Amino acid sequence: KDALELKINDLRVNNIEVEQFLFQTLPKTMADRVQLMQVFINLINNAYDAMKTAHGRGILTIRTHQKGDKIVIEFEDTGPGILEPEKLFTPFYTTKEVGKGTGLGLAVSYGIIKEHGGMIVGKNCQKGAFFTVTLPINAQTSKEVKKKKKKDYDLSGLRLLLVEDEVGIAESCNELLTTKGCHVTSAFTIKDAMQAIQED
């Protein structure tokens, strides 16, 4: 929900409808929230870019449910589908035009989900592309409960230079950091970053 919240305005403005079928009683699991946000934002961005480029409109369907001892999150879009599914999680493979993507988003997402003991799979479906993220249900142990809760970092007033060549991810991160009280300067290239440093 938080990942979707960061992109919902862009989706609506670009005629992309969002359908949510979220299972209300999913069990809790131990996971790195920030890393999972990164994966979900990446999948939402990819669907958004594909539908916007291909048709200028579309439907993104997000579903969650439980399957045995696993949590399943599905992202289905009505874009053009996956051009070469066998190359999907290969580093630096991208179908986006030069300057629009590094081809690292899905490779990094694959690594994050694998680290969590889960799986991420992408395939073509009748409508477009279909991605499934599967995560194990890891219960919190009493040992972990006793650990002192880490204090949230106070980011208010912090001045940050954010360097990210994927515009959608940069905008999402910028928005997230700004809501935490940071003053963010975004740069999409090394040249822009160097110029920002020299100017300020």
Side-chain angles (χ1 to χ4, degrees), residues 24-188:
Q24 295 305 311
T25 55
L26 278 179
K28 291 187 177 181
T29 186
M30 290 287 288
D32 186 315
R33 184 180 176 280
V34 174
Q35 285 191 335
L36 291 186
M37 278 276 285
Q38 187 180 342
V39 172
F40 299 150
I41 287 169
N42 186 47
L43 291 172
I44 292 166
N45 271 335
N46 285 352
Y48 163 75
D49 288 339
M51 291 186 284
K52 184 184 170 190
T53 305
H55 315 302
R57 61 172 54 251
I59 301 169
L60 172 62
T61 306
I62 301 174
R63 302 180 194 87
T64 63
H65 57 95
Q66 184 178 350
K67 189 176 181 181
D69 60 349
K70 305 272 191 285
I71 291 169
V72 181
I73 308 104
E74 298 169 344
F75 298 82
E76 184 179 354
D77 66 54
T78 56
I82 304 160
L83 190 62
E84 297 174 287
E86 69 281 0
K87 293 183 179 176
L88 206 50
F89 301 105
T90 307
F92 305 110
Y93 171 73
T94 180
T95 55
K96 294 177 186 176
E97 59 186 87
V98 176
K100 291 286 184 185
T102 57
L104 283 173
L106 282 177
V108 169
S109 296
Y110 180 85
I112 289 170
I113 298 303
K114 201 171 177 188
E115 264 182 40
H116 280 76
M119 279 178 62
I120 180 168
V121 178
K123 64 178 183 180
N124 286 315
C125 63
Q126 204 172 357
K127 295 176 183 175
F130 190 94
F131 282 85
T132 306
V133 175
T134 309
L135 292 167
I137 298 166
N138 295 322
Q140 192 177 47
T141 66
S142 56
K143 186 182 174 185
E144 285 159 339
V145 173
K146 285 174 189 172
K147 280 185 183 175
K148 275 190 177 178
K149 195 177 176 185
K150 281 186 182 176
K151 192 182 173 188
D152 247 5
Y153 291 109
D154 180 17
L155 303 179
S156 56
L158 196 66
R159 295 170 69 239
L160 295 175
L161 174 61
L162 173 68
V163 187
E164 171 58 65
D165 71 341
E166 292 214 28
V167 177
I169 293 175
E171 286 172 352
S172 300
C173 290
N174 191 324
E175 201 172 326
L176 185 65
L177 290 163
T178 302
T179 61
K180 298 276 186 187
C182 299
H183 303 287
V184 184
T185 301
S186 291
F188 304 115

